[in-house]
């Protein structure tokens, strides 16, 4: 089994595995690596480990840590990418394709151009690829992405006032359902629960397990219970503080631990 590290490449932050050779790499190291798409610039996101891969799966190879010259070339690539985006956008309009351009990005060696887009339908972009390959003299890779991936690339600010989680640290998107919001006693107004991508906010899943585990054997609201201070009725459950609020009489509401209630 080869010794590999996980590396994030390009703006969509695709994770690839690459062999480390005789050198050691730490998290967040900027590296130049060889992938199936050519030479790319990436950031180490997983520590070294041994993994057994299927024979048909491509494993990259880290060539070196990024140097000052590599960072300068990366800046030059951004200029070239901006120029390419103008051309790509114009060609999409000329071919009248039903697709929304998210971003374009060259590989580090500029031998290949990735074009990320969203669309509600299947797009026949064969003529577009021929046209772009002729205009840019590069290999073209079309990548259709979802709206959550689009937000991950473009970025933005969430309702919490912070940068989007998907842009900062989320590597994979987990399933998020309206039941998660219901279980956390949140308003079921989807407009308030939706993120910039229009889908339910990823953070609804962060505390779901906490609520699920605490409520699993807790009495429901409205249940008559016995407490150390006498009998009462459950008025609410605070899963974060891990207490159950019980009314023992008029204007007499107390919080008890779950173990104190029968």
């Amino acid at each position: 089994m080869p010794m590999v590290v996980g590396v994030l490449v390009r703006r969509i932050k695709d994770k690839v595995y690459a062999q480390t050779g005789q050198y050691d790499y730490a998290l967040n190291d900027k590296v130049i690596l060889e992938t199936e798409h050519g030479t790319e610039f990436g950031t180490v996101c997983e520590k070294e480990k041994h993994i057994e891969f299927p024979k048909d799966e491509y494993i990259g190879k880290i060539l070196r840590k990024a140097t000052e010259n590599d960072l300068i070339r990366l800046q030059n690539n951004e200029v070239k990418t901006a120029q390419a985006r103008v051309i790509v956008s114009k060609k999409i309009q000329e071919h009248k394709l039903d697709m929304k351009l998210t971003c374009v990005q060259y590989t580090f060696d500029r031998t290949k151009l990735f074009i990320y887009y969203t669309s509600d339908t299947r797009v026949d972009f064969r003529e577009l690829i021929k046209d772009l390959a002729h205009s840019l003299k590069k290999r073209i890779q079309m990548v259709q992405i979802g709206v959550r991936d689009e937000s991950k690339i473009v970025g933005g600010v969430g309702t919490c006032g912070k940068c989007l989680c998907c842009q900062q640290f989320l590597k994979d998107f987990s399933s998020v359902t309206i039941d998660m919001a219901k279980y956390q006693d949140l308003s079921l107004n989807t407009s308030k629960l939706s993120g910039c991508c229009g889908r339910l906010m990823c953070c609804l899943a962060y505390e779901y397990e906490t609520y699920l585990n605490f409520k699993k054997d807790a009495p429901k609201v409205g249940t008559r219970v016995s407490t150390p201070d006498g009998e009462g009725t459950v008025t609410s459950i605070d899963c974060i503080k891990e207490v159950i609020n019980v009314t023992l009489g008029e204007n007499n509401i107390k919080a008890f631990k779950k173990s104190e209630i029968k």
Side-chain angles (χ1 to χ4, degrees), residues 125-157:
F125 41 67
R126 288 174 294 183
E127 293 302 319
L128 173 65
I129 290 178
K130 292 180 183 178
D131 199 353
L132 289 174
H134 177 74
S135 300
L136 299 172
K137 310 299 183 192
K138 307 291 183 183
R139 290 183 295 150
I140 306 296
Q141 176 82 39
M142 303 292 296
V143 184
Q144 184 172 2
I145 60 176
V147 290
R148 297 172 88 183
D149 286 312
E150 181 182 26
S151 293
K152 185 176 183 178
I153 293 175
V154 177
V157 178

Side-chain angles (χ1 to χ4, degrees), residues 65-89:
K65 286 186 179 181
T67 64
E68 287 296 327
N69 288 335
D70 292 329
L71 297 178
I72 292 173
R73 180 180 176 86
L74 191 65
Q75 292 178 345
N76 292 335
N77 284 353
E78 289 298 319
V79 175
K80 297 291 184 182
T81 294
Q83 295 171 349
R85 182 188 174 93
V86 174
I87 296 174
V88 172
S89 181

Side-chain angles (χ1 to χ4, degrees), residues 7-245:
V7 183
L8 296 177
V9 295
R10 298 186 298 279
R11 290 179 184 170
I12 199 172
K13 297 182 180 178
D14 277 335
K15 184 174 71 174
V16 300
Y17 286 104
Q19 297 185 59
T20 57
Q22 59 182 335
Y23 299 103
D24 295 326
Y25 297 96
L27 292 177
N28 298 318
D29 276 351
K30 308 300 181 183
V31 297
I32 306 299
L33 65 155
E34 195 67 38
T35 73
E36 58 183 326
H37 300 295
T39 305
E40 301 204 61
F41 179 94
T43 304
V44 176
C45 65
E46 284 188 18
K47 295 181 179 180
E48 290 183 330
K49 57 184 176 182
H50 289 289
I51 296 183
E52 187 172 351
F53 293 91
K55 293 182 179 179
D56 59 345
E57 184 170 342
Y58 184 90
I59 305 175
K61 181 181 180 181
I62 295 182
L63 303 177
R64 63 181 182 275
K65 286 186 179 181
T67 64
E68 287 296 327
N69 288 335
D70 292 329
L71 297 178
I72 292 173
R73 180 180 176 86
L74 191 65
Q75 292 178 345
N76 292 335
N77 284 353
E78 289 298 319
V79 175
K80 297 291 184 182
T81 294
Q83 295 171 349
R85 182 188 174 93
V86 174
I87 296 174
V88 172
S89 181
K90 181 180 178 181
K91 294 297 182 182
I92 289 175
Q93 293 179 11
E94 289 178 358
H95 287 271
K96 298 179 180 179
L97 296 176
D98 184 18
M99 55 188 287
K100 179 184 176 184
L101 179 63
T102 300
C103 79
V104 302
Q105 188 170 16
Y106 280 112
T107 53
F108 183 74
D109 55 9
R110 290 207 298 269
T111 59
K112 192 172 189 177
L113 180 69
F114 284 87
I115 300 175
Y116 297 98
Y117 71 95
T118 59
S119 177
D120 294 330
T121 60
R122 186 173 180 178
V123 181
D124 183 358
F125 41 67
R126 288 174 294 183
E127 293 302 319
L128 173 65
I129 290 178
K130 292 180 183 178
D131 199 353
L132 289 174
H134 177 74
S135 300
L136 299 172
K137 310 299 183 192
K138 307 291 183 183
R139 290 183 295 150
I140 306 296
Q141 176 82 39
M142 303 292 296
V143 184
Q144 184 172 2
I145 60 176
V147 290
R148 297 172 88 183
D149 286 312
E150 181 182 26
S151 293
K152 185 176 183 178
I153 293 175
V154 177
V157 178
T159 55
C160 60
K162 296 184 177 181
C163 292
L164 299 181
C165 298
C166 56
Q167 190 182 30
Q168 292 187 90
F169 60 86
L170 280 184
K171 298 176 183 177
D172 301 301
F173 293 116
S174 59
S175 176
V176 182
T177 66
I178 195 67
D179 285 339
M180 291 181 175
K182 184 178 180 180
Y183 220 81
Q184 296 173 65
D185 302 318
L186 298 173
S187 167
L188 300 185
N189 186 336
T190 53
S191 63
K192 293 182 178 180
L193 297 175
S194 300
C196 296
C197 60
R199 301 290 178 85
L200 292 174
M201 293 186 290
C202 295
C203 56
L204 290 176
Y206 294 171
E207 297 174 349
Y208 175 63
E209 289 294 330
T210 300
Y211 280 83
L212 191 66
N213 292 332
F214 189 78
K215 284 187 173 183
K216 184 168 53 178
D217 54 358
K220 295 182 179 180
V221 173
T223 304
R224 290 289 294 177
V225 294
S226 177
T227 74
D229 293 348
E231 291 189 352
T233 303
V234 175
T235 57
S236 62
I237 299 175
D238 192 330
C239 296
I240 301 301
K241 294 182 179 179
E242 297 187 342
V243 296
I244 297 173
N245 296 311

